[in-house]
Amino acid sequence: LSTALESTAEKLMLKSYEAAAPSWRGFCQIMSVSDFKTAKAIRPSFLGNLNPLPSGGEIRHGNLKEESVSIRVECWAQMLRVGYQDVINDDGSMFQQTSSALGQNAARSLSDAVWRCVMANDDDYFDGDHNNLLSGGSSELGFDSLSEAIRLMKAQVDLGGRPLDLSPRVLAVPPSLELTALQLVQSQSMARYTTDGVDNVPEGNPMHGRLSVTSESRLSNSTFTGYSETAWYLFGGPESAPVVVAFLNGLERPVIQSFGLNSEVSTLGFAWRCWFDFGVALCDWRAGVRSAGV
Protein backbone atom coordinates (compact mmCIF):
# COMPACT_ATOMS: atom_id res chain seq x y z
CA LEU A 1 0.00 0.00 0.00
CA SER A 2 2.72 2.47 0.94
CA THR A 3 4.76 1.95 -2.23
CA ALA A 4 1.75 2.21 -4.54
CA LEU A 5 0.43 5.36 -2.93
CA GLU A 6 3.83 7.04 -2.91
CA SER A 7 4.24 6.40 -6.62
CA THR A 8 0.79 7.81 -7.35
CA ALA A 9 1.50 10.91 -5.29
CA GLU A 10 4.65 11.72 -7.23
CA LYS A 11 2.93 11.39 -10.60
CA LEU A 12 0.06 13.59 -9.50
CA MET A 13 2.37 16.28 -8.16
CA LEU A 14 4.37 16.53 -11.37
CA LYS A 15 1.24 16.59 -13.52
CA SER A 16 -0.17 19.43 -11.43
CA TYR A 17 3.04 21.44 -11.74
CA GLU A 18 3.40 20.95 -15.48
CA ALA A 19 -0.23 21.96 -16.11
CA ALA A 20 0.25 25.33 -14.45
CA ALA A 21 1.36 27.11 -17.71
CA PRO A 22 3.41 29.93 -16.14
CA SER A 23 3.12 33.33 -17.82
CA TRP A 24 6.81 34.21 -17.48
CA ARG A 25 8.20 31.70 -19.98
CA GLY A 26 7.32 33.96 -22.89
CA PHE A 27 10.01 36.50 -21.96
CA CYS A 28 12.44 34.96 -19.44
CA GLN A 29 15.75 33.44 -20.48
CA ILE A 30 16.63 30.17 -18.74
CA MET A 31 20.11 29.48 -17.41
CA SER A 32 21.69 26.69 -15.41
CA VAL A 33 24.04 27.06 -12.42
CA SER A 34 26.00 24.41 -10.55
CA ASP A 35 25.68 25.67 -6.95
CA PHE A 36 24.01 28.17 -4.62
CA LYS A 37 26.76 30.80 -4.89
CA THR A 38 26.08 34.15 -6.56
CA ALA A 39 26.56 33.77 -10.32
CA LYS A 40 26.89 36.28 -13.14
CA ALA A 41 24.62 36.42 -16.16
CA ILE A 42 26.90 37.99 -18.75
CA ARG A 43 25.69 39.85 -21.83
CA PRO A 44 28.60 40.37 -24.28
CA SER A 45 28.49 43.32 -26.66
CA PHE A 46 30.51 42.94 -29.86
CA LEU A 47 31.32 46.46 -31.00
CA GLY A 48 31.82 47.40 -34.63
CA ASN A 49 30.35 45.95 -37.81
CA LEU A 50 32.11 43.89 -40.46
CA ASN A 51 34.35 45.87 -42.79
CA PRO A 52 35.29 45.38 -46.45
CA LEU A 53 38.39 43.24 -46.74
CA PRO A 54 41.27 45.42 -48.03
CA SER A 55 43.44 44.32 -50.90
CA GLY A 56 46.17 43.24 -48.50
CA GLY A 57 43.82 40.71 -46.90
CA GLU A 58 44.30 42.02 -43.36
CA ILE A 59 41.14 41.68 -41.24
CA ARG A 60 40.43 44.51 -38.80
CA HIS A 61 40.00 43.75 -35.11
CA GLY A 62 36.65 44.28 -33.42
CA ASN A 63 36.04 45.22 -29.79
CA LEU A 64 34.25 43.31 -27.09
CA LYS A 65 32.62 44.69 -23.97
CA GLU A 66 30.32 43.01 -21.50
CA GLU A 67 27.50 43.75 -19.08
CA SER A 68 26.48 41.44 -16.28
CA VAL A 69 23.86 40.96 -13.57
CA SER A 70 24.10 38.91 -10.40
CA ILE A 71 21.78 35.98 -9.78
CA ARG A 72 21.67 33.40 -7.01
CA VAL A 73 19.68 30.19 -6.86
CA GLU A 74 17.97 29.39 -3.57
CA CYS A 75 16.28 26.24 -2.32
CA TRP A 76 12.52 26.63 -1.76
CA ALA A 77 10.87 23.82 0.18
CA GLN A 78 7.66 22.62 1.82
CA MET A 79 6.52 19.52 3.72
CA LEU A 80 3.05 18.01 4.14
CA ARG A 81 1.88 15.09 6.28
CA VAL A 82 -1.27 12.93 6.23
CA GLY A 83 -2.20 10.71 9.17
CA TYR A 84 -2.77 6.96 8.81
CA GLN A 85 -6.42 7.13 9.88
CA ASP A 86 -7.12 9.94 7.44
CA VAL A 87 -5.72 7.82 4.64
CA ILE A 88 -7.90 4.85 5.54
CA ASN A 89 -11.05 6.93 5.97
CA ASP A 90 -10.56 9.10 2.89
CA ASP A 91 -10.43 6.30 0.26
CA GLY A 92 -7.38 7.78 -1.42
CA SER A 93 -8.57 11.25 -2.44
CA MET A 94 -6.46 12.86 0.28
CA PHE A 95 -3.36 11.76 -1.61
CA GLN A 96 -4.50 13.50 -4.75
CA GLN A 97 -5.22 16.73 -2.88
CA THR A 98 -1.91 16.64 -1.02
CA SER A 99 0.30 15.96 -4.02
CA SER A 100 -1.60 18.41 -6.23
CA ALA A 101 -1.15 21.13 -3.61
CA LEU A 102 2.62 20.59 -3.66
CA GLY A 103 2.76 20.89 -7.43
CA GLN A 104 0.63 24.01 -7.48
CA ASN A 105 2.63 25.63 -4.69
CA ALA A 106 5.89 24.97 -6.51
CA ALA A 107 4.59 26.58 -9.69
CA ARG A 108 3.14 29.55 -7.82
CA SER A 109 6.33 30.09 -5.85
CA LEU A 110 8.38 30.46 -9.02
CA SER A 111 5.80 32.70 -10.70
CA ASP A 112 5.63 34.84 -7.55
CA ALA A 113 9.41 35.24 -7.57
CA VAL A 114 9.49 36.29 -11.23
CA TRP A 115 6.77 38.91 -10.92
CA ARG A 116 7.99 40.25 -7.57
CA CYS A 117 11.36 40.80 -9.25
CA VAL A 118 9.79 42.59 -12.24
CA MET A 119 7.43 44.75 -10.19
CA ALA A 120 10.00 45.72 -7.53
CA ASN A 121 12.01 47.46 -10.28
CA ASP A 122 15.32 47.18 -8.42
CA ASP A 123 18.16 49.47 -9.60
CA ASP A 124 15.64 51.50 -11.63
CA TYR A 125 15.39 48.87 -14.34
CA PHE A 126 12.37 50.74 -15.74
CA ASP A 127 13.47 54.36 -15.81
CA GLY A 128 13.26 57.47 -17.94
CA ASP A 129 17.04 57.45 -18.34
CA HIS A 130 16.72 53.99 -19.89
CA ASN A 131 13.99 55.15 -22.29
CA ASN A 132 11.78 52.27 -21.20
CA LEU A 133 9.19 53.97 -19.00
CA LEU A 134 5.88 55.62 -19.98
CA SER A 135 3.79 57.63 -17.55
CA GLY A 136 1.06 60.28 -17.50
CA GLY A 137 -2.25 60.42 -19.30
CA SER A 138 -0.82 59.20 -22.60
CA SER A 139 0.38 55.94 -21.01
CA GLU A 140 -3.07 54.36 -20.68
CA LEU A 141 -3.17 51.11 -22.65
CA GLY A 142 -4.29 51.85 -26.18
CA PHE A 143 -3.08 51.88 -29.76
CA ASP A 144 -0.98 55.04 -29.42
CA SER A 145 0.69 54.11 -26.11
CA LEU A 146 1.44 50.57 -27.29
CA SER A 147 2.90 51.97 -30.50
CA GLU A 148 5.14 54.24 -28.44
CA ALA A 149 6.29 51.34 -26.23
CA ILE A 150 7.18 49.34 -29.34
CA ARG A 151 9.05 52.34 -30.75
CA LEU A 152 11.04 52.76 -27.54
CA MET A 153 12.14 49.13 -27.51
CA LYS A 154 13.06 49.04 -31.18
CA ALA A 155 15.08 52.26 -30.77
CA GLN A 156 17.38 50.75 -28.12
CA VAL A 157 21.08 50.51 -28.98
CA ASP A 158 24.07 48.57 -27.69
CA LEU A 159 27.12 49.99 -25.89
CA GLY A 160 28.52 51.15 -29.20
CA GLY A 161 25.35 52.95 -30.23
CA ARG A 162 24.33 50.33 -32.82
CA PRO A 163 20.69 49.24 -33.19
CA LEU A 164 19.92 46.03 -31.28
CA ASP A 165 17.07 44.95 -33.59
CA LEU A 166 14.94 43.93 -30.61
CA SER A 167 11.52 42.42 -31.34
CA PRO A 168 8.70 43.00 -28.82
CA ARG A 169 7.01 39.68 -28.04
CA VAL A 170 4.87 39.79 -24.90
CA LEU A 171 2.28 42.29 -23.69
CA ALA A 172 1.74 41.64 -19.97
CA VAL A 173 -1.34 43.18 -18.37
CA PRO A 174 -3.41 42.85 -15.18
CA PRO A 175 -6.80 41.12 -15.61
CA SER A 176 -8.55 44.52 -15.70
CA LEU A 177 -6.80 45.26 -19.03
CA GLU A 178 -6.97 41.78 -20.56
CA LEU A 179 -9.89 42.47 -22.91
CA THR A 180 -8.38 45.76 -24.05
CA ALA A 181 -5.07 44.04 -24.75
CA LEU A 182 -6.73 41.22 -26.69
CA GLN A 183 -8.70 43.72 -28.76
CA LEU A 184 -5.50 45.58 -29.62
CA VAL A 185 -3.53 42.56 -30.82
CA GLN A 186 -6.21 40.16 -32.05
CA SER A 187 -8.62 42.43 -33.93
CA GLN A 188 -8.04 42.20 -37.67
CA SER A 189 -9.46 45.64 -38.36
CA MET A 190 -9.80 48.95 -36.57
CA ALA A 191 -12.74 51.33 -36.41
CA ARG A 192 -12.45 54.16 -38.92
CA TYR A 193 -13.02 57.72 -37.90
CA THR A 194 -12.78 61.00 -39.78
CA THR A 195 -11.75 64.56 -39.08
CA ASP A 196 -13.04 67.14 -41.54
CA GLY A 197 -14.03 64.32 -43.83
CA VAL A 198 -10.53 62.78 -43.95
CA ASP A 199 -9.91 59.20 -42.82
CA ASN A 200 -7.30 59.06 -40.07
CA VAL A 201 -7.10 55.34 -39.37
CA PRO A 202 -6.86 52.54 -41.95
CA GLU A 203 -9.12 49.53 -41.59
CA GLY A 204 -6.29 47.05 -41.13
CA ASN A 205 -4.84 46.60 -37.63
CA PRO A 206 -1.01 46.68 -37.72
CA MET A 207 -0.94 45.17 -34.21
CA HIS A 208 -2.81 42.03 -35.32
CA GLY A 209 -0.89 38.89 -34.34
CA ARG A 210 2.21 40.89 -33.49
CA LEU A 211 2.30 40.20 -29.74
CA SER A 212 1.16 37.52 -27.34
CA VAL A 213 -0.97 38.70 -24.42
CA THR A 214 -0.26 37.57 -20.87
CA SER A 215 -2.95 38.33 -18.31
CA GLU A 216 -1.20 38.18 -14.94
CA SER A 217 -3.20 38.56 -11.72
CA ARG A 218 -0.06 39.33 -9.68
CA LEU A 219 0.29 42.69 -11.43
CA SER A 220 -2.75 44.01 -9.58
CA ASN A 221 -2.42 41.99 -6.38
CA SER A 222 -1.87 44.23 -3.34
CA THR A 223 0.56 41.77 -1.72
CA PHE A 224 3.11 42.56 -4.46
CA THR A 225 5.21 45.72 -4.30
CA GLY A 226 4.39 47.97 -7.25
CA TYR A 227 0.94 46.50 -7.93
CA SER A 228 -1.41 48.47 -10.15
CA GLU A 229 -4.72 48.08 -11.99
CA THR A 230 -3.47 50.27 -14.85
CA ALA A 231 0.23 49.48 -15.36
CA TRP A 232 1.27 47.19 -18.21
CA TYR A 233 4.52 45.82 -19.59
CA LEU A 234 6.07 45.05 -22.96
CA PHE A 235 8.87 42.48 -23.17
CA GLY A 236 11.15 41.06 -25.80
CA GLY A 237 11.49 37.31 -26.17
CA PRO A 238 13.66 35.00 -24.04
CA GLU A 239 16.57 35.43 -26.44
CA SER A 240 16.79 39.15 -25.54
CA ALA A 241 16.87 38.30 -21.79
CA PRO A 242 14.77 41.01 -20.13
CA VAL A 243 14.64 38.64 -17.13
CA VAL A 244 16.69 35.54 -16.35
CA VAL A 245 15.57 32.49 -14.37
CA ALA A 246 18.28 30.14 -13.13
CA PHE A 247 17.85 26.52 -12.08
CA LEU A 248 20.29 24.35 -10.17
CA ASN A 249 21.95 21.95 -12.63
CA GLY A 250 19.29 22.79 -15.20
CA LEU A 251 16.46 21.00 -13.38
CA GLU A 252 13.39 23.06 -14.28
CA ARG A 253 10.89 21.26 -12.07
CA PRO A 254 10.45 20.59 -8.36
CA VAL A 255 11.67 17.43 -6.66
CA ILE A 256 9.38 15.38 -4.44
CA GLN A 257 10.16 12.68 -1.92
CA SER A 258 7.46 10.64 -0.22
CA PHE A 259 7.70 8.75 3.08
CA GLY A 260 5.53 5.85 4.15
CA LEU A 261 4.56 4.16 7.39
CA ASN A 262 8.11 3.04 8.14
CA SER A 263 9.72 6.48 7.90
CA GLU A 264 9.30 7.63 11.53
CA VAL A 265 8.67 5.38 14.54
CA SER A 266 6.83 8.04 16.57
CA THR A 267 4.34 9.00 13.83
CA LEU A 268 1.95 6.75 11.93
CA GLY A 269 1.22 8.32 8.60
CA PHE A 270 2.46 9.39 5.21
CA ALA A 271 4.51 12.51 4.42
CA TRP A 272 5.89 14.38 1.43
CA ARG A 273 8.60 16.95 1.07
CA CYS A 274 9.03 19.07 -1.99
CA TRP A 275 11.88 21.39 -2.95
CA PHE A 276 12.67 23.56 -5.92
CA ASP A 277 16.01 25.24 -6.66
CA PHE A 278 15.69 28.48 -8.63
CA GLY A 279 16.64 32.15 -8.74
CA VAL A 280 15.39 35.20 -10.65
CA ALA A 281 17.03 38.47 -11.73
CA LEU A 282 16.27 41.44 -13.95
CA CYS A 283 18.73 41.41 -16.83
CA ASP A 284 18.65 43.57 -19.98
CA TRP A 285 16.46 46.64 -19.45
CA ARG A 286 16.54 47.39 -23.17
CA ALA A 287 14.17 44.48 -23.75
CA GLY A 288 11.48 45.71 -21.36
CA VAL A 289 9.10 48.67 -21.22
CA ARG A 290 6.76 49.62 -18.38
CA SER A 291 3.79 51.89 -18.78
CA ALA A 292 2.13 53.34 -15.67
CA GLY A 293 -1.20 53.61 -17.46
CA VAL A 294 -2.07 56.88 -15.68
Side-chain angles (χ1 to χ4, degrees):
L1 175 63
S2 175
T3 301
L5 289 174
E6 290 170 11
S7 177
T8 301
E10 182 171 355
K11 293 176 182 177
L12 289 169
M13 193 287 296
L14 295 178
K15 180 179 179 181
S16 177
Y17 170 77
E18 291 166 358
S23 60
W24 52 266
R25 283 193 176 271
F27 61 89
C28 289
Q29 187 170 117
I30 305 299
M31 61 182 293
S32 176
V33 300
S34 59
D35 54 41
F36 294 104
K37 300 176 183 177
T38 299
K40 293 288 186 181
I42 300 173
R43 169 59 61 89
S45 184
F46 299 90
L47 305 182
N49 291 326
L50 300 183
N51 298 284
L53 186 68
S55 58
E58 182 180 356
I59 301 176
R60 293 179 59 183
H61 284 280
N63 295 312
L64 175 63
K65 291 186 178 181
E66 65 180 34
E67 298 173 287
S68 65
V69 296
S70 297
I71 187 169
R72 186 169 70 89
V73 166
E74 295 183 271
C75 181
W76 306 71
Q78 185 179 47
M79 185 186 75
L80 293 172
R81 185 184 298 277
V82 179
Y84 170 74
Q85 291 176 315
D86 290 330
V87 173
I88 298 301
N89 293 336
D90 202 59
D91 67 19
S93 64
M94 178 68 74
F95 284 90
Q96 182 173 356
Q97 295 174 20
T98 302
S99 55
S100 293
L102 282 171
Q104 292 165 3
N105 286 351
R108 282 197 297 264
S109 296
L110 178 49
S111 292
D112 285 352
V114 170
W115 288 106
R116 287 191 192 280
C117 181
V118 169
M119 295 163 66
N121 193 30
D122 289 341
D123 299 322
D124 296 325
Y125 178 93
F126 299 106
D127 187 76
D129 290 339
H130 289 163
N131 293 320
N132 67 351
L133 179 65
L134 297 175
S135 60
S138 61
S139 65
E140 181 180 356
L141 181 61
F143 184 85
D144 291 341
S145 59
L146 183 55
S147 298
E148 177 63 8
I150 292 173
R151 185 195 70 79
L152 288 175
M153 184 178 297
K154 294 183 75 69
Q156 295 286 6
V157 296
D158 67 9
L159 295 175
R162 299 182 307 164
L164 284 169
D165 299 325
L166 295 173
S167 295
R169 295 282 188 83
V170 177
L171 175 59
V173 299
S176 57
L177 296 178
E178 180 178 4
L179 295 184
T180 300
L182 291 173
Q183 288 174 336
L184 282 171
V185 304
Q186 292 187 2
S187 297
Q188 295 187 10
S189 61
M190 299 177 61
R192 297 177 67 90
Y193 67 91
T194 61
T195 300
D196 299 328
V198 178
D199 289 337
N200 289 324
V201 180
E203 291 183 354
N205 180 13
M207 297 292 183
H208 175 64
R210 189 170 185 175
L211 304 168
S212 63
V213 174
T214 288
S215 178
E216 177 52 62
S217 62
R218 292 166 178 81
L219 292 176
S220 56
N221 188 297
S222 61
T223 64
F224 286 74
T225 300
Y227 75 97
S228 170
E229 290 283 356
T230 61
W232 51 274
Y233 297 79
L234 184 67
F235 294 106
E239 70 284 351
S240 57
V243 181
V244 289
V245 177
F247 296 97
L248 185 66
N249 295 320
L251 184 61
E252 298 182 26
R253 65 178 188 178
V255 177
I256 184 173
Q257 287 183 333
S258 51
F259 302 87
L261 299 177
N262 298 325
S263 60
E264 188 174 343
V265 67
S266 62
T267 302
L268 193 60
F270 298 88
W272 298 261
R273 66 183 179 192
C274 173
W275 72 90
F276 201 5
D277 302 320
F278 63 82
V280 182
L282 296 173
C283 190
D284 196 338
W285 48 263
R286 302 171 185 87
V289 178
R290 182 184 189 272
S291 179
V294 294

